Amino acid sequence: MSLPLDLIADLRLSDLAAEPLWPSALVAGAAHYADADSRIMRSPIDAAILGHFVPATAGLANHAVEAAHGAFLKWRCVPAPLRGELVRCIGNKIRLRKTALARLITLEAGKICSEAEGEVQECIDICDFAVGLARQLHGLTIASERPKHRMMEQWQPLGAVGIITSFNFPMAVWAWNAMLGLVCGDAVVWKPSEKAPLCAIALQRLVEEAIDEMNDTIPAHVCQLILGEHEAGERIASHPLLPLISATGSSRMGRVVAQTVAARLGRVLLELGGNNALIVTPSANLDMALQAIVFAAVGTAGQRCTTLRRLIVHESLIDQFAERLVQGFDNVPIGHPSDDGVLLGPLIDADAYWAMQQALQAAEQQGGQRLTGGQRVEQGVPLNGFYVRPALIRVAGNLDIVREETFAPILYLMPYAELDDAIELNNAVSQGLSSAIFTDSVREAEAFLGPAGSDCGIANVNIGTSGAEIGAAFGGEKDTGGGREAGSDAWKNYMRRTTNTINYGSELTLAQGVRFTL
């Protein structure tokens, strides 16, 4: 497979397969710092070579971070509305290239076209949100106990922010962090997944275009891109000039990042694993629930952090609902993600396939019953890609393997008798990202959303676990890391708070009535 010519023209990604690729945002002469060996980029669709990239060395990574820090020292003094103008320009460029960017996501991450277009739309939406936010970075005025004193809070730019993203949302997660960081006055250093560097390069080049068009109002190097594998992420996490590291990935990766950053007393914003559950009650609209469940379990080939992995169905419904689910899973169209009507594309690589097979084997050894799916599909799909049928496994409860997150389309089906039992099953895993309930009972819905209900960062009623909007804060609890990105007040992660007290009187008055007179 080769890159489509119109995509190359739109994104200026020429000769990718012919030579190692450097992101042009890095400093001039970057090849001086480069290792001689390059990494192959392959498409999950058919394992075709898309090109090569050279991982950044320690010297290059350090140079990029230092350049970003230097840019921050200037960028922090630029008025926030003008910072918003850069984000507006970036958003417009993404909007104009939406189709080409979506095709690149499909090519490099294997997403079906509608999901890829949805991810690019998410980038556009967060740009629009951030532009408005540039005029709303407000603090508080606080009553003082002292006469002729005023207290207030301000939010100030934090620094250069390190962003580590995963392959499954190769553009949107960067946008959540980078666009908010930019309007907050931060510089950005991005280390994308080594499985999706082309998406990162494309976005970086659009950012460069936007910076160039704004002439001298934007400091050079305010957005940096570092390509590499886990070593590059470790260099970012340990760098003292990056006060915040936003990392998206597995809980295992997040623990390593958190410990590294904590050792230098930096901040982390973690978006890690999800082991998401959905409860179906006797009053639920089963047709609507079925549609939501299949998308949440199968979308992105089960490779979302919000993918539905555990389905908790009332014991009076479970047998009939299992039959409908089997039929739904078996009828999901599988194939090339660019083909019309296909809903399930490939897993990202062979490692993901074998992890799925090991999980299925463990589930059966632990007493689970496979109702359907799990096999590799080799007919009617591109050769060399890892296409699978979504698997449905009936279990008695949270088996050991069920408590683990397997990044693949496996759905574990389990019964419950009372709502309290279902909520306990929902909460009885270490991850706490997304959850949902289907019910027409106000009492059940409110119990699920209440303080004794779901312990996840996202709790939905009558919708699935995936497909969050950018207007609200996104993130979860427990092993999910506690981070919040995107909307609401997530912008505060990217700033530092200062408390100010102003004495406009002619006497010095101490707080708490303390007297200290010389």
Side-chain angles (χ1 to χ4, degrees), residues 39 48 60 83 87 97 102 114 123 153 159 172 175 203 233 282 348 411 423 471 475:
R39 302 293 187 269
L60 178 59
R83 301 194 297 253
V87 173
R97 293 170 171 86
S114 64
C123 295
E153 288 183 349
L203 287 174
I348 190 66
L411 181 62
I423 293 174

Side-chain angles (χ1 to χ4, degrees), residues 283-301:
S283 67
N285 180 325
L286 298 185
D287 292 335
M288 188 165 64
L290 181 67
Q291 184 174 350
I293 289 163
V294 174
F295 170 71
V298 172
T300 322

Side-chain angles (χ1 to χ4, degrees), residues 95 163 267 399 410 478 514 517:
R95 183 178 280 107
I163 302 172
R267 298 190 201 173
L399 307 175
I410 302 175
K478 302 188 293 187
V514 174
T517 304

Side-chain angles (χ1 to χ4, degrees), residues 220-258:
H221 310 305
V222 72
C223 290
Q224 293 285 289
L225 177 62
I226 296 176
L227 300 182
E229 299 172 332
H230 65 90
E231 295 88 356
E234 292 169 359
R235 289 164 185 154
I236 290 177
S238 61
H239 206 292
L241 290 180
L242 298 175
L244 171 66
I245 301 296
S246 175
T248 301
S250 68
S251 296
R252 179 192 57 77
M253 180 274 283
R255 286 190 178 90
V256 174
V257 170

Side-chain angles (χ1 to χ4, degrees), residues 381-450:
V381 298
L383 297 176
N384 301 319
F386 287 87
Y387 297 80
V388 294
R389 295 200 174 279
L392 181 65
I393 310 294
R394 184 160 177 172
V395 296
N398 288 320
L399 307 175
D400 288 345
I401 187 61
V402 176
R403 295 176 187 274
E404 300 177 13
E405 181 190 32
T406 303
F407 231 48
I410 302 175
L411 181 62
Y412 298 105
L413 172 66
M414 61 189 76
Y416 81 93
E418 303 294 336
L419 183 61
D420 287 347
D421 301 330
I423 293 174
E424 183 177 354
L425 285 169
N426 177 85
N427 296 347
V429 295
S430 61
Q431 308 87 350
L433 178 52
S434 188
S435 59
I437 187 171
F438 269 80
T439 179
D440 281 349
S441 165
V442 172
R443 291 187 178 90
E444 289 180 331
E446 291 297 332
F448 180 74
L449 300 178

Side-chain angles (χ1 to χ4, degrees), residues 155 158 161 186 244 267-269 482-485 489-496:
W155 292 90
L158 179 62
V161 174
D186 300 335
L244 171 66
R267 298 190 201 173
V268 291
L269 197 169
R484 293 298 186 275
E485 295 174 334
D489 64 349
W491 60 270
K492 294 178 179 178
N493 288 298
Y494 308 91
M495 305 197 81
R496 58 180 178 86

Side-chain angles (χ1 to χ4, degrees), residues 151-236:
M151 290 193 299
M152 66 179 185
E153 288 183 349
Q154 294 188 85
W155 292 90
Q156 306 287 7
L158 179 62
V161 174
I163 302 172
I164 301 171
T165 58
S166 59
F167 75 87
N168 58 335
F169 280 86
M171 295 189 183
V173 174
W174 164 81
W176 290 357
N177 288 276
M179 298 305 102
L180 295 193
L182 287 173
V183 298
C184 288
D186 300 335
V188 172
V189 180
W190 182 17
K191 188 275 174 190
S193 169
E194 64 275 15
K195 299 178 182 179
L198 289 180
C199 289
I201 293 165
L203 287 174
Q204 183 67 28
R205 291 190 175 179
L206 296 184
V207 171
E208 292 171 14
E209 286 183 12
I211 292 173
D212 289 344
E213 290 178 9
M214 295 189 68
N215 300 318
D216 297 329
T217 59
I218 312 299
H221 310 305
V222 72
C223 290
Q224 293 285 289
L225 177 62
I226 296 176
L227 300 182
E229 299 172 332
H230 65 90
E231 295 88 356
E234 292 169 359
R235 289 164 185 154
I236 290 177

